Amino acid sequence: MFYVYILKSLKNRRLYTGSTNNLERRIYEHSVGQTKYTSKAGPFELVYKESYNTSLEAKRREKFLKTGKGRELLRSILDR
């Protein structure tokens, strides 16, 4: 199983989108600063996730959610 996830920084309130095959491990890596892009923004809370059967599906969805239309959709889903 592959996941697309949205994390919210408890420090700066920004949203971060990613994909992984091990959601628990990935959230841990973000929270302890092991990822370059989010290392200074933790801790995080998981605010949304979707599951997919293949890595390709998850990567495509992640890429879409990082576009303008994808961010609009996320805002409506998360009701920010």
Side-chain angles (χ1 to χ4, degrees):
M1 191 66 53
F2 296 87
Y3 300 92
V4 173
Y5 60 90
I6 310 297
L7 299 177
K8 184 180 217 177
S9 168
L10 299 177
K11 186 174 186 178
N12 65 19
R13 312 296 288 166
R14 291 185 62 191
L15 298 177
Y16 297 90
T17 304
S19 61
T20 186
N21 65 343
N22 186 329
L23 190 55
E24 288 180 21
R25 183 204 73 224
R26 194 65 178 137
I27 293 170
Y28 173 79
E29 289 171 352
H30 282 291
S31 292
V32 299
Q34 291 181 355
T35 58
K36 183 178 179 181
Y37 186 69
T38 60
S39 64
K40 301 204 182 347
F44 296 93
E45 69 175 325
L46 178 67
V47 293
Y48 184 73
K49 70 177 178 180
E50 298 175 348
S51 57
Y52 295 91
N53 291 322
T54 69
S55 175
L56 182 60
E57 290 173 308
K59 295 254 186 232
R60 283 182 177 160
R61 182 64 167 174
E62 175 189 3
K63 188 174 182 178
F64 168 73
L65 291 175
K66 290 180 176 181
T67 67
K69 294 257 184 216
R71 286 190 300 272
E72 285 179 28
L73 175 65
L74 278 176
R75 279 188 212 105
S76 67
I77 291 171
L78 300 175
D79 217 21
R80 285 183 51 169

